[in-house]
Amino acid sequence: MPIETKYRTCNLCEAICGLEIKVEDNKVISIRGDEEDTFSRGHICPKAVGLKDLHEDPDRLKNPLIKRNGQWHETTWEEAIAYAARSIVDVQITHGKDAVAVYQGNPSVHNLGTSLFSPDFVRSIKTKNRYSATSVDQLGHHLAAETMFGNGLFVPVPDINRTDFWVIIGGNPMVSNGSMMTAPDIRGRIRDIQEREGRIVVIDPRFTETSEKADEHIFIKPGTDIWLLMGLMNFVYQNDNIQLGHLADAIDEYKIEAIGQAVDSFDLDIVASRTKISKEKLSQFYTDYCNANRAVLYGRLGISANKFGGLCHWAINTLNILTGNFDTEGGAMFTNPAVNVSSKKSPVPRFGRWHSRVRNLPEYGGELPSSTLAEDILEPGEGQIRALITSCGNPVLSVPNGRKLDDAFESLDFMVSIDIYLNETTRHADVILPPATGLETPHYPIGFHNLAIHNTANYSDAAVDKSEGALYDWEIFSRLKKEVEEYRLEKTGEEKSDKPTFTLEQKLGFLLEFGPHKLSLEELKKHPHGLDLGALEPQLPKRLITPDGKLNIYPDIYQKAVERLVNSQVEEDHEFLLIGRRNLRSNNSWMHNLHRMTKGPNTCTALVHPEDAETYNINDGDHIKIRSRINVVEIPAEVSDEIMKGTISIPHGWGHNREGIRLQTASAKAGVSFNDLADDQLVDELSGVSVINAIPVSIEV
Ligand SMILES: Nc1nc2c(c(=O)[nH]1)N[C@H]1C(S)=C(S)[C@@H](COP(=O)(O)OP(=O)(O)OC[C@H]3O[C@@H](n4cnc5c(=O)[nH]c(N)nc54)[C@H](O)[C@@H]3O)O[C@H]1N2
Ligand SMILES: Nc1nc2c(c(=O)[nH]1)N[C@H]1C(S)=C(S)[C@@H](COP(=O)(O)OP(=O)(O)OC[C@H]3O[C@@H](n4cnc5c(=O)[nH]c(N)nc54)[C@H](O)[C@@H]3O)O[C@H]1N2
Ligand code: SF4
Ligand SMILES: [Mo]
């Protein structure tokens, strides 16, 4: 058999690196960075080779599984799909449409088939109880985009290719490879900024891998970034640094005045006392930001999934706008992708149109906050959730209070999981439908081209064949939808949708042809290293799609949130605040079964500052107990001055010691789950996003 060379985009994270893959007889021989990729220019990270391990993982499911009397059995696709679809419809006939909930996890947006075909299936279920990883993650970005620019997916990205001053707040792109900002080769791009005499400042309670490469690191008390940002806004007003430039006509002047009045009380004394950053440091940082030629503020997970996550993302956009760093080169900019996901206009913001049953938290974009899922299953009463569909998600490990979710899922009448593993979440299912994945699927990173710091388009064919009899994700979703509609018609007479059905290539082809660049899929296929569609360009006010066509710099929801913030009491001092951490060879909860990703020392440790370690008589490697309001876990301590005093950092996605999983490598190195400590009752009051950073905890030795 000849060795073939295939080019493809890595689908594991948001950086969409180009890969060069050697394949012989459907076996992957090697995976390297594609030097000719128009965007990533050869960059990859250690996870890329995980795609080979994923393809070969003996624990990965290839055939559907059905649970009978507590035992798993392989079954045919016909039986599995009919069982899943009919059970869903039966629950809805008995208990109403909302009795079925849907949870969609992170790989949904990293799989083309799921991105394009799951929405139609989910719509066919007609439930208001939809959940996803968004509300444990980037919800604040979407809410700000929805209310300020008119569409939640019209999210600005930092133009790091041209900025002179990049402020990273609560992000660690050297490890995460960038998020809500598709930018392969972060290291190279940081170096480029420094070579043109620009600066990078990291604001984080931990001195991170990114801080090491940056020009300055500022330690901040977890959960207090909103004061830092409001203080900066006040500084901008006090020092007459407002420059609206080409956006002036698109913004109501009275709103600019209202913001100025609202931030008036955030002086250096207040900000310093909340953030634990000295007044001198604050004032130096504020001055540097205002003096920089082209500056951009960028905030990520550390501030998104936080008590004031929603407000932080409004504040970051607003600061970039007020200082003339918005929709201009080197500031925050919008993409012009070949498939544009943010062109739809809505008469009202898609927020708060309905609320969760037990806690009355608001919907965003058709989804309720995931921190409410467990209680909406467990609490008896009208509208209780009785059945669940999960796809590409592992909420037991990724959503606060995983133990409560374990109980909730066990109590369901029916559960189906579309997933490639029998893991902590899917073990509760009655049926698992495993699609082909990774190198076996064609790919086009729709979502990430929309968030990229340079416009490109890249289509990849599958690099290897899927195993015999396996189905692609879009086939599973199409068949489920058809079965749901046919069975419902038979049982209730409810009409089927009359939308035509398409193949994956047809659907992508239409989106490309009707997109801003009018590309054809055939043409795109001729460019295996991707097509360069040009640098980001200013696009406002033309592309604003708010109801009045203006840029709403101060939407009502944020006015109220600012008032709440101004009136908020100083929080009592907690013994410790717990924050999260990511590791270069890990990807949320699901790549720990790939041996090359988990070999070497245990990375699931609790970082503790040396002075705190001394107070509690903790030595490096000691097992310590960490207690939150809901639970206590035991974990090895790693004593390090990279973490701020009074703060503890634990990575998430571990805790593979639950019974009934089929993950040999992962269970050998179980770790503990961060979300056994994270409290489902702690959410951002404004947006409903889960709080997974700055959780009050104590240490027991
Ligand atoms: N404490 C804490 N919690 C967090 C975070 C944190 O930093 N700290 N991060 C949050 C963030 S940012 C996110 S995005 C969420 C992630 O939350 P989730 O999306 O719920 O969790 P993942 O760990 O990404 O789980 C992915 C699931 O998809 C399956 N899977 C992988 N590939 C495929 C595929 O091709 N098809 C299908 N059908 N399934 C597949 C895996 O087996 C796994 O079950 O976690 C959040 N939770
Ligand atoms: N290797 C790897 N890459 C990944 C993932 C992975 O699991 N592993 N997950 C992917 C996913 S789903 C996402 S969403 C992205 C996330 O991408 P990032 O947001 O870049 O990644 P994190 O490592 O979660 O960075 C959060 C940072 O916030 C800091 N932090 C915590 N609390 C606070 C706070 O209160 N204030 C401030 N200022 N900082 C705080 C933490 O110390 C940490 O350095 O990464 C993606 N890429
Ligand atoms: S950085 Fe992300 S996209 Fe690039 S190789 Fe690593 S996992 Fe894949
Ligand atoms: Mo995420």
Side-chain angles (χ1 to χ4, degrees):
M1 270 288 195
I3 294 180
E4 290 175 278
T5 305
K6 317 256 178 157
Y7 297 98
R8 119 175 227 107
T9 306
C10 176
N11 72 320
L12 291 173
C13 89
E14 299 175 44
I16 63 171
C17 300
L19 306 176
E20 184 192 279
I21 304 165
K22 302 268 187 213
V23 178
E24 186 181 20
D25 195 17
N26 211 37
K27 273 190 81 79
V28 179
I29 312 278
S30 68
I31 298 182
R32 299 171 34 189
D34 173 10
E35 302 283 343
E36 287 176 64
D37 185 275
T38 31
F39 195 14
S40 61
R41 302 172 300 213
H43 172 266
I44 51 165
C45 84
K47 282 198 298 300
V49 295
L51 284 167
K52 173 174 158 64
D53 299 351
L54 178 64
H55 178 58
E56 294 165 1
D57 186 355
D59 288 336
R60 181 162 64 85
L61 305 177
K62 311 279 170 47
N63 296 302
L65 292 181
I66 258 184
K67 200 190 269 162
R68 291 195 192 99
N69 302 323
Q71 298 295 316
W72 288 106
H73 301 273
E74 276 195 5
T75 181
T76 61
W77 283 103
E78 285 65 33
E79 188 191 5
I81 285 178
Y83 176 48
R86 288 165 186 228
S87 305
I88 292 164
V89 174
D90 286 338
V91 168
Q92 289 188 311
I93 291 172
T94 317
H95 299 288
K97 293 255 160 70
D98 296 336
V100 174
V102 181
Y103 175 92
Q104 293 189 273
N106 168 278
S108 303
V109 285
H110 293 274
N111 279 285
L112 179 63
T114 302
S115 316
L116 290 184
F117 286 74
S118 69
D120 277 349
F121 165 66
V122 172
R123 265 193 295 276
S124 78
I125 302 294
K126 300 182 181 172
T127 175
K128 284 203 168 83
N129 286 318
R130 289 171 46 197
Y131 305 81
S132 82
T134 293
S135 52
V136 201
D137 187 351
Q138 80 289 0
L139 175 53
H141 294 258
H142 297 311
L143 187 56
E146 178 82 20
T147 52
M148 299 176 84
F149 320 126
N151 186 304
L153 300 176
F154 193 42
V155 173
V157 295
D159 181 18
I160 62 172
N161 279 347
R162 290 172 292 192
T163 200
D164 305 311
F165 195 75
W166 183 22
V167 184
I168 304 172
I169 316 175
N172 187 10
M174 278 299 296
V175 167
S176 67
N177 284 296
S179 184
M180 298 305 277
M181 166 191 72
T182 286
D185 189 15
I186 288 292
R187 175 72 195 102
R189 292 177 205 272
I190 287 180
R191 211 183 288 127
D192 290 347
I193 295 176
Q194 289 163 334
E195 274 173 13
R196 55 177 187 264
E197 297 190 356
R199 277 160 57 76
I200 293 121
V201 179
V202 174
I203 301 176
D204 200 300
R206 180 179 155 237
F207 186 89
T208 64
E209 295 80 352
T210 306
S211 312
E212 264 171 43
K213 305 292 175 206
D215 300 276
E216 189 179 353
H217 175 90
I218 301 176
F219 282 103
I220 187 166
K221 180 180 171 187
T224 66
D225 304 81
I226 190 61
W227 278 277
L228 174 95
L229 294 166
M230 298 304 270
L232 177 50
M233 237 183 268
N234 188 23
F235 187 90
V236 167
Y237 276 87
Q238 299 296 331
N239 293 283
D240 288 332
N241 272 314
I242 298 177
Q243 312 162 33
L244 297 178
H246 71 299
L247 299 175
D249 289 344
I251 300 175
D252 287 326
E253 217 178 299
Y254 75 92
K255 289 188 178 162
I256 303 283
E257 282 161 24
I259 296 172
Q261 282 164 16
V263 298
D264 190 49
S265 61
F266 292 87
D267 60 28
L268 283 182
D269 285 314
I270 288 190
V271 177
S273 76
R274 296 279 188 154
T275 58
K276 308 292 177 213
I277 303 172
S278 72
K279 279 184 0 187
E280 295 68 37
K281 217 178 195 107
L282 280 170
S283 129
Q284 186 62 53
F285 165 63
Y286 289 175
T287 309
D288 290 348
Y289 169 75
C290 290
N291 287 346
N293 184 19
R294 299 177 296 184
V296 66
L297 295 175
Y298 161 78
R300 210 32 210 115
L301 198 66
I303 62 156
S304 308
N306 207 315
K307 198 171 164 195
F308 297 102
L311 197 53
C312 279
H313 286 292
W314 164 77
I316 284 178
N317 282 345
T318 299
L319 278 160
N320 285 330
I321 295 166
L322 290 173
T323 54
N325 291 306
F326 198 78
D327 194 43
T328 53
E329 285 185 17
M333 298 191 82
F334 295 100
T335 57
N336 184 17
V339 175
N340 176 7
V341 297
S342 66
S343 57
K344 261 204 198 129
K345 200 168 171 159
S346 166
V348 286
R350 285 156 277 218
F351 178 61
R353 292 165 300 173
W354 60 89
H355 291 78
S356 72
R357 181 173 68 94
V358 174
R359 222 184 312 170
N360 202 35
L361 289 176
E363 149 273 353
Y364 163 74
E367 294 175 355
L368 290 164
S370 291
S371 278
T372 66
L373 175 58
E375 68 199 19
D376 285 348
I377 296 173
L378 288 169
E379 180 91 11
E382 177 82 23
Q384 187 180 1
I385 294 168
R386 315 275 181 157
L388 176 69
I389 302 159
T390 71
S391 168
C392 297
N394 194 2
V396 165
L397 295 191
S398 55
V399 171
N401 209 342
R403 297 283 166 185
K404 190 166 166 188
L405 282 162
D406 268 331
D407 292 343
F409 294 170
E410 211 41 49
S411 76
L412 290 166
D413 292 352
F414 180 75
M415 176 167 162
V416 49
S417 291
I418 300 148
D419 205 289
I420 55 174
Y421 285 114
L422 175 43
N423 64 16
E424 300 76 13
T425 293
T426 63
R427 71 196 172 117
H428 296 293
D430 298 286
V431 51
I432 305 178
L433 309 172
T437 188
L439 301 176
E440 303 165 348
T441 62
H443 193 51
Y444 179 84
I446 293 187
F448 303 110
H449 283 317
N450 275 264
L451 292 168
I453 60 159
H454 190 89
N455 296 309
T456 61
N458 206 331
Y459 175 83
S460 327
D461 276 322
V464 289
D465 298 335
K466 62 182 168 61
S467 54
E468 216 184 302
L471 291 188
Y472 292 113
D473 47 1
W474 68 89
E475 295 174 312
I476 295 176
F477 286 113
S478 297
R479 285 174 64 169
L480 276 171
K481 174 174 179 280
K482 186 163 177 281
E483 187 75 26
V484 161
E485 292 187 337
E486 284 177 359
Y487 183 68
R488 194 162 58 200
L489 175 67
E490 186 190 317
K491 287 281 165 177
T492 69
E494 191 175 319
E495 281 303 308
K496 296 198 281 183
S497 85
D498 51 8
K499 273 176 120 184
T501 49
F502 299 108
T503 64
L504 182 83
E505 289 212 353
Q506 282 171 332
K507 229 178 195 179
L508 179 62
F510 293 141
L511 291 169
L512 285 165
E513 270 168 49
F514 293 107
H517 298 270
K518 305 199 174 8
L519 286 177
S520 80
L521 183 56
E522 285 319 304
E523 178 60 27
L524 199 51
K525 282 185 177 180
K526 293 181 196 149
H527 300 271
H529 309 288
L531 258 184
D532 190 330
L533 301 174
L536 305 189
E537 285 177 353
Q539 301 187 60
L540 301 190
K542 207 165 145 234
R543 269 192 65 193
L544 289 169
I545 37 178
T546 45
D548 64 359
K550 293 207 152 182
L551 192 165
N552 188 356
I553 197 163
Y554 204 20
D556 293 351
I557 54 166
Y558 299 112
Q559 297 184 25
K560 293 195 190 101
V562 171
E563 275 167 33
R564 279 201 299 271
L565 183 73
V566 171
N567 296 323
S568 68
Q569 306 295 318
V570 180
E571 277 196 18
E572 58 179 296
D573 265 339
H574 298 288
E575 219 173 332
F576 288 97
L577 292 172
L578 179 66
I579 63 168
R581 167 168 110 243
R582 283 174 156 74
N583 179 279
L584 196 54
R585 285 188 295 128
S586 173
N587 193 16
N588 297 327
S589 76
W590 69 276
M591 285 181 68
H592 300 154
N593 209 48
L594 311 176
H595 58 98
R596 268 187 289 194
M597 299 299 108
T598 42
K599 67 180 185 200
N602 179 13
T603 53
C604 187
T605 59
L607 291 181
V608 181
H609 188 271
E611 284 176 36
D612 292 328
E614 203 181 310
T615 310
Y616 286 81
N617 203 10
I618 299 167
N619 293 310
D620 206 49
D622 284 357
H623 278 242
I624 57 172
K625 284 189 179 145
I626 298 181
R627 182 179 294 280
S628 71
R629 186 190 71 84
I630 60 161
N631 206 349
V632 58
V633 303
E634 198 175 309
I635 182 169
E638 193 177 330
V639 179
S640 164
D641 61 4
E642 75 190 36
I643 192 80
M644 205 175 164
K645 197 163 170 277
T647 306
I648 296 174
S649 154
I650 297 184
H652 78 288
W654 296 89
H656 308 292
N657 50 357
R658 279 151 157 96
E659 269 172 31
I661 63 174
R662 198 179 288 173
L663 297 165
Q664 288 180 50
T665 308
S667 34
K669 211 167 195 180
V672 297
S673 176
F674 185 113
N675 288 315
D676 285 352
L677 286 175
D679 188 342
D680 55 312
Q681 296 301 308
L682 287 180
V683 295
D684 170 21
E685 201 182 329
L686 166 65
S687 66
V689 80
S690 301
V691 173
I692 51 176
N693 288 296
I695 298 164
V697 291
S698 56
I699 292 185
E700 292 170 9
V701 267

